[in-house]
Amino acid sequence: DKMKSRGMRFTTFLMSEVTPTRLAMIQDIDAWIQVACPRLSIDWGEGFALPTLTPYEALVSLGEVDPWWETDSDNPSGERPYPMDYYAKEGGEWNSSWHKGPAKVK
């Protein structure tokens, strides 16, 4: 809905396995937002020819959520951890949890 409301074109693909080789076979794509597993983008991101974003990264790029480096930190060192809560019940609005309340959007 967020991309559609901005007039952005998108196509949904269903694949049994997401690999750099498979994604490279598809033409006329500017970037990928993959929801299979966030670690594909994080651990193997440099293997993809195009930007391959996690749902969180996509929402940051659309300006829907604050980037992790601009959020408040409770950590005494001031470090802000990268959100890896895609499967967590208490995770952000970008996660796959179906049993939480409505997302809070800026």
Side-chain angles (χ1 to χ4, degrees):
D1 290 341
K2 296 180 188 327
M3 292 175 68
K4 184 184 271 186
S5 68
R6 288 174 168 77
M8 300 173 83
R9 293 182 345 165
F10 62 93
T11 302
T12 303
F13 290 88
L14 176 63
M15 298 179 168
S16 59
E17 185 177 11
V18 178
T19 66
T21 304
R22 284 187 177 191
L23 295 185
M25 288 190 268
I26 302 168
Q27 302 297 307
D28 300 323
I29 301 290
D30 295 321
W32 296 97
I33 302 170
Q34 63 85 18
V35 297
C37 176
R39 295 202 59 163
L40 290 173
S41 298
I42 294 165
D43 292 348
W44 302 340
E46 62 191 37
F48 293 100
L50 295 171
T52 306
L53 308 176
T54 66
Y56 166 74
E57 293 166 337
L59 288 175
V60 169
S61 70
L62 293 171
E64 293 289 330
V65 298
D66 292 329
W68 61 273
W69 62 88
E70 291 181 1
T71 57
D72 292 331
S73 173
D74 294 333
N75 187 335
S77 72
E79 292 181 7
R80 294 168 178 91
Y82 187 88
M84 291 292 291
D85 55 0
Y86 183 68
Y87 300 107
K89 183 170 88 171
E90 300 81 21
E93 68 182 85
W94 50 84
N95 81 14
S96 65
S97 179
W98 59 268
H99 47 73
K100 62 180 183 169
K104 294 180 183 174
V105 180
K106 281 201 294 188

